[in-house]
């Protein structure tokens, strides 16, 4: 339904910059309250939190530059949007208030803003996997008309070159003061590679040898998570866990959203007074959600129809709303979607998703386990 993004989302966009987007909106300078400890040697190993695989640390000077770029509205064509305005550090590098992101000139985008925690480990970027690597991902939003809206990548480089503070940062990071699209991408990627978040209660229980880190309900939830097949797409390793198979699956979410989009909606006006609004009525003050075929839009393969990348479950309790279109508001709603077997309206749905005989207690145990994946210390 477009109402969530255009009604409430538009209110937040127009009137809520100072609160919701204040972090990204106020960071035209370069000291935005972040503290990122990284190695200065490109080949050095990062000090990864408990539960995450080893990874190389990016150069500190490139991280400093990337961090400045990430919070700077001058990356957008009209200097109103920054990366941080869809990926707020105080909201797990996503945006909890919006079902789908708000882009250039208030445009409601098609998809929910995913968290950036642990993106350093992803082999393919975006929920449709259309590019490989953070460097290529960093360039895409810059020139998309509904996102940062620049004519081309070179226009961004020219704009940044006019500011002495950036010439200094580019010289430190790359040995030359001139911004280029490739250097911009490298710096943004370097910053994102520092956003590592592990060391959760689950990690301390499974990898840290602390039997008291999970209580009885949370341990039951972990057992149910494995027994019910959730770990098939969200695997857990012996030494580390990213909670994603990096695959693309049709879980019935898009078909469910299309069904809801065409259905009448019961709306409470005031306590005790409700009315029914026909789906067509929403078009009078909004626009319909654009269709989304997921990975199929990239590959053209029938097997990829309405398939989306498996997200990591780390810190999932912090990243509502859920799914590629933000259509499920709570963890309980997500688990209920899978318990119900996804969407019977989608013949292309992954056959492994089928109705499960799970009672409320077991459902709540699984949710309790998912909440144990919240990191003890988060990058800010």
């Amino acid at each position: 339904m477009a109402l969530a993004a255009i009604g409430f989302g538009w209110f937040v966009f127009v009137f809520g910059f100072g609160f919701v987007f204040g972090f990204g909106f106020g960071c035209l300078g370069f000291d935005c309250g972040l503290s990122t400890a990284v190695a200065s040697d490109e080949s050095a190993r990062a000090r990864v939190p408990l539960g995450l695989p080893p990874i190389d640390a990016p150069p500190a000077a490139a991280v400093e530059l990337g961090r400045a770029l990430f919070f700077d509205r001058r990356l957008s064509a009209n200097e109103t949007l920054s990366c941080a305005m869809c990926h707020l550090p105080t909201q797990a590098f996503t945006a909890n208030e919006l079902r789908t992101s708000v882009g250039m000139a208030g445009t409601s985008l098609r998809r929910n803003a995913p968290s950036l925690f642990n993106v350093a480990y992803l082999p393919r970027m975006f929920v449709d996997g259309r590019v490989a690597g953070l460097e290529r991902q960093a360039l895409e939003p810059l020139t998309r008309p509904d996102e940062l809206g620049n004519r081309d990548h070179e226009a961004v480089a020219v704009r940044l070159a006019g500011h002495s503070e950036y010439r200094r940062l580019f010289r430190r990071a790359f040995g030359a003061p001139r911004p280029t699209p490739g250097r911009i991408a490298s710096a943004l990627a370097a910053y994102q590679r520092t956003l590592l978040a592990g060391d959760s209660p689950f990690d301390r229980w499974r990898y840290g040898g602390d039997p008291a880190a999970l209580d009885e309900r949370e341990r039951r939830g972990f057992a149910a998570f494995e027994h019910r097949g959730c770990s098939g797409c969200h695997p857990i390793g012996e030494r580390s866990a990213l909670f994603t198979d990096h695959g693309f699956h049709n879980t019935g979410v898009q078909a469910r959203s299309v069904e809801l989009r065409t259905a009448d909606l019961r709306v409470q006006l005031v306590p005790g007074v409700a009315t029914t609004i026909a789906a067509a009525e929403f078009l009078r003050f909004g626009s319909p959600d654009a269709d989304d075929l997921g990975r199929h839009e990239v590959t053209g393969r029938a097997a990829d129809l309405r398939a989306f990348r498996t997200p990591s479950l780390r810190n999932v309790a912090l990243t509502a709303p859920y799914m590629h279109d933000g259509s499920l508001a709570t963890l309980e709603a997500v688990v209920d979607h899978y318990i119900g077997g996804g969407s019977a309206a989608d013949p292309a749905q992954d056959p492994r998703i089928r109705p499960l005989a799970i009672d409320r207690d077991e459902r709540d145990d699984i949710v309790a386990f998912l909440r144990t994946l919240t990191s003890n210390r988060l990058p800010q």
Side-chain angles (χ1 to χ4, degrees), residues 220-231 354 356-358 362 366:
R220 287 200 312 264
F222 170 65
F225 181 87
E226 292 204 307
H227 174 68
R228 294 297 184 174
C230 308
S231 58
R354 58 191 185 280
L356 300 171
I358 293 180
E362 187 175 358
I366 293 173

mmCIF file of all heavy atoms in Angstrom, residues 220-231 354 356-358 362 366:
data_model
loop_
_atom_site.group_PDB
_atom_site.id
_atom_site.type_symbol
_atom_site.label_atom_id
_atom_site.label_comp_id
_atom_site.label_asym_id
_atom_site.label_seq_id
_atom_site.Cartn_x
_atom_site.Cartn_y
_atom_site.Cartn_z
ATOM 1 N N ARG A 220 15.234 -22.482 23.798
ATOM 2 C CA ARG A 220 14.153 -23.207 23.108
ATOM 3 C C ARG A 220 13.903 -22.587 21.737
ATOM 4 O O ARG A 220 13.665 -23.300 20.757
ATOM 5 C CB ARG A 220 12.860 -23.158 23.933
ATOM 6 C CG ARG A 220 12.838 -24.005 25.171
ATOM 7 C CD ARG A 220 11.412 -24.269 25.639
ATOM 8 N NE ARG A 220 10.591 -23.071 25.699
ATOM 9 C CZ ARG A 220 10.392 -22.352 26.797
ATOM 10 N NH1 ARG A 220 10.986 -22.711 27.934
ATOM 11 N NH2 ARG A 220 9.611 -21.283 26.779
ATOM 12 N N GLY A 221 13.948 -21.267 21.666
ATOM 13 C CA GLY A 221 13.740 -20.597 20.394
ATOM 14 C C GLY A 221 14.811 -20.940 19.384
ATOM 15 O O GLY A 221 14.521 -21.130 18.191
ATOM 16 N N PHE A 222 16.060 -21.046 19.836
ATOM 17 C CA PHE A 222 17.146 -21.452 18.947
ATOM 18 C C PHE A 222 16.915 -22.866 18.434
ATOM 19 O O PHE A 222 17.086 -23.141 17.235
ATOM 20 C CB PHE A 222 18.480 -21.359 19.684
ATOM 21 C CG PHE A 222 19.626 -21.977 18.929
ATOM 22 C CD1 PHE A 222 20.045 -21.458 17.726
ATOM 23 C CD2 PHE A 222 20.283 -23.093 19.435
ATOM 24 C CE1 PHE A 222 21.102 -22.030 17.015
ATOM 25 C CE2 PHE A 222 21.340 -23.669 18.753
ATOM 26 C CZ PHE A 222 21.749 -23.143 17.542
ATOM 27 N N ALA A 223 16.513 -23.777 19.321
ATOM 28 C CA ALA A 223 16.242 -25.150 18.901
ATOM 29 C C ALA A 223 15.111 -25.194 17.880
ATOM 30 O O ALA A 223 15.177 -25.922 16.877
ATOM 31 C CB ALA A 223 15.912 -26.012 20.119
ATOM 32 N N ALA A 224 14.055 -24.410 18.104
ATOM 33 C CA ALA A 224 12.933 -24.366 17.156
ATOM 34 C C ALA A 224 13.370 -23.755 15.835
ATOM 35 O O ALA A 224 12.954 -24.199 14.757
ATOM 36 C CB ALA A 224 11.778 -23.569 17.761
ATOM 37 N N PHE A 225 14.208 -22.727 15.894
ATOM 38 C CA PHE A 225 14.729 -22.078 14.691
ATOM 39 C C PHE A 225 15.432 -23.098 13.796
ATOM 40 O O PHE A 225 15.250 -23.110 12.571
ATOM 41 C CB PHE A 225 15.695 -20.966 15.115
ATOM 42 C CG PHE A 225 16.298 -20.171 13.994
ATOM 43 C CD1 PHE A 225 15.641 -19.065 13.487
ATOM 44 C CD2 PHE A 225 17.541 -20.501 13.469
ATOM 45 C CE1 PHE A 225 16.200 -18.312 12.460
ATOM 46 C CE2 PHE A 225 18.105 -19.758 12.448
ATOM 47 C CZ PHE A 225 17.428 -18.666 11.946
ATOM 48 N N GLU A 226 16.231 -23.954 14.392
ATOM 49 C CA GLU A 226 16.932 -24.979 13.620
ATOM 50 C C GLU A 226 15.987 -26.101 13.203
ATOM 51 O O GLU A 226 16.000 -26.538 12.049
ATOM 52 C CB GLU A 226 18.096 -25.520 14.438
ATOM 53 C CG GLU A 226 19.220 -24.514 14.652
ATOM 54 C CD GLU A 226 20.538 -25.174 14.923
ATOM 55 O OE1 GLU A 226 20.590 -26.019 15.837
ATOM 56 O OE2 GLU A 226 21.520 -24.868 14.206
ATOM 57 N N HIS A 227 15.151 -26.570 14.111
ATOM 58 C CA HIS A 227 14.263 -27.699 13.822
ATOM 59 C C HIS A 227 13.239 -27.362 12.749
ATOM 60 O O HIS A 227 12.907 -28.210 11.910
ATOM 61 C CB HIS A 227 13.559 -28.137 15.111
ATOM 62 C CG HIS A 227 12.523 -29.190 14.912
ATOM 63 N ND1 HIS A 227 12.828 -30.489 14.529
ATOM 64 C CD2 HIS A 227 11.160 -29.141 15.026
ATOM 65 C CE1 HIS A 227 11.715 -31.196 14.420
ATOM 66 N NE2 HIS A 227 10.689 -30.397 14.709
ATOM 67 N N ARG A 228 12.764 -26.143 12.735
ATOM 68 C CA ARG A 228 11.718 -25.751 11.787
ATOM 69 C C ARG A 228 12.281 -25.336 10.424
ATOM 70 O O ARG A 228 11.528 -24.954 9.527
ATOM 71 C CB ARG A 228 10.898 -24.607 12.363
ATOM 72 C CG ARG A 228 10.092 -24.995 13.597
ATOM 73 C CD ARG A 228 9.050 -26.051 13.278
ATOM 74 N NE ARG A 228 8.205 -26.362 14.432
ATOM 75 C CZ ARG A 228 7.155 -27.167 14.389
ATOM 76 N NH1 ARG A 228 6.835 -27.758 13.241
ATOM 77 N NH2 ARG A 228 6.436 -27.408 15.469
ATOM 78 N N GLY A 229 13.586 -25.396 10.257
ATOM 79 C CA GLY A 229 14.175 -25.149 8.943
ATOM 80 C C GLY A 229 14.583 -23.720 8.666
ATOM 81 O O GLY A 229 15.033 -23.418 7.555
ATOM 82 N N CYS A 230 14.463 -22.828 9.656
ATOM 83 C CA CYS A 230 14.843 -21.423 9.424
ATOM 84 C C CYS A 230 16.324 -21.306 9.073
ATOM 85 O O CYS A 230 16.727 -20.437 8.282
ATOM 86 C CB CYS A 230 14.548 -20.588 10.657
ATOM 87 S SG CYS A 230 12.862 -20.741 11.298
ATOM 88 N N SER A 231 17.146 -22.175 9.657
ATOM 89 C CA SER A 231 18.586 -22.097 9.427
ATOM 90 C C SER A 231 18.976 -22.587 8.039
ATOM 91 O O SER A 231 20.140 -22.478 7.653
ATOM 92 C CB SER A 231 19.337 -22.900 10.489
ATOM 93 O OG SER A 231 18.923 -24.259 10.487
ATOM 94 N N ARG A 354 6.077 -23.605 3.577
ATOM 95 C CA ARG A 354 4.773 -24.260 3.659
ATOM 96 C C ARG A 354 4.220 -24.052 5.069
ATOM 97 O O ARG A 354 4.984 -23.759 6.001
ATOM 98 C CB ARG A 354 4.899 -25.750 3.358
ATOM 99 C CG ARG A 354 5.855 -26.483 4.264
ATOM 100 C CD ARG A 354 6.161 -27.890 3.767
ATOM 101 N NE ARG A 354 6.994 -28.621 4.709
ATOM 102 C CZ ARG A 354 8.294 -28.490 4.834
ATOM 103 N NH1 ARG A 354 8.930 -27.619 4.065
ATOM 104 N NH2 ARG A 354 8.960 -29.197 5.721
ATOM 105 N N LEU A 356 3.165 -24.331 8.830
ATOM 106 C CA LEU A 356 3.789 -25.059 9.922
ATOM 107 C C LEU A 356 2.841 -25.122 11.111
ATOM 108 O O LEU A 356 2.135 -24.153 11.407
ATOM 109 C CB LEU A 356 5.090 -24.374 10.353
ATOM 110 C CG LEU A 356 6.189 -24.244 9.291
ATOM 111 C CD1 LEU A 356 7.318 -23.351 9.816
ATOM 112 C CD2 LEU A 356 6.724 -25.610 8.910
ATOM 113 N N ALA A 357 2.844 -26.259 11.770
ATOM 114 C CA ALA A 357 2.011 -26.434 12.962
ATOM 115 C C ALA A 357 2.791 -25.942 14.174
ATOM 116 O O ALA A 357 3.422 -26.724 14.900
ATOM 117 C CB ALA A 357 1.619 -27.899 13.122
ATOM 118 N N ILE A 358 2.764 -24.652 14.378
ATOM 119 C CA ILE A 358 3.497 -24.022 15.477
ATOM 120 C C ILE A 358 2.504 -23.263 16.345
ATOM 121 O O ILE A 358 1.717 -22.450 15.833
ATOM 122 C CB ILE A 358 4.578 -23.067 14.941
ATOM 123 C CG1 ILE A 358 5.673 -23.858 14.215
ATOM 124 C CG2 ILE A 358 5.183 -22.247 16.073
ATOM 125 C CD1 ILE A 358 6.775 -22.981 13.649
ATOM 126 N N GLU A 362 5.628 -21.523 20.891
ATOM 127 C CA GLU A 362 6.814 -21.784 20.085
ATOM 128 C C GLU A 362 7.143 -20.576 19.216
ATOM 129 O O GLU A 362 8.320 -20.232 19.027
ATOM 130 C CB GLU A 362 6.620 -23.033 19.220
ATOM 131 C CG GLU A 362 7.884 -23.442 18.477
ATOM 132 C CD GLU A 362 7.728 -24.758 17.719
ATOM 133 O OE1 GLU A 362 6.639 -25.383 17.800
ATOM 134 O OE2 GLU A 362 8.687 -25.149 17.032
ATOM 135 N N ILE A 366 10.739 -18.441 19.269
ATOM 136 C CA ILE A 366 11.572 -18.079 18.111
ATOM 137 C C ILE A 366 11.848 -16.591 18.103
ATOM 138 O O ILE A 366 12.984 -16.150 17.868
ATOM 139 C CB ILE A 366 10.894 -18.539 16.810
ATOM 140 C CG1 ILE A 366 10.847 -20.062 16.733
ATOM 141 C CG2 ILE A 366 11.628 -17.969 15.594
ATOM 142 C CD1 ILE A 366 10.051 -20.602 15.555
#
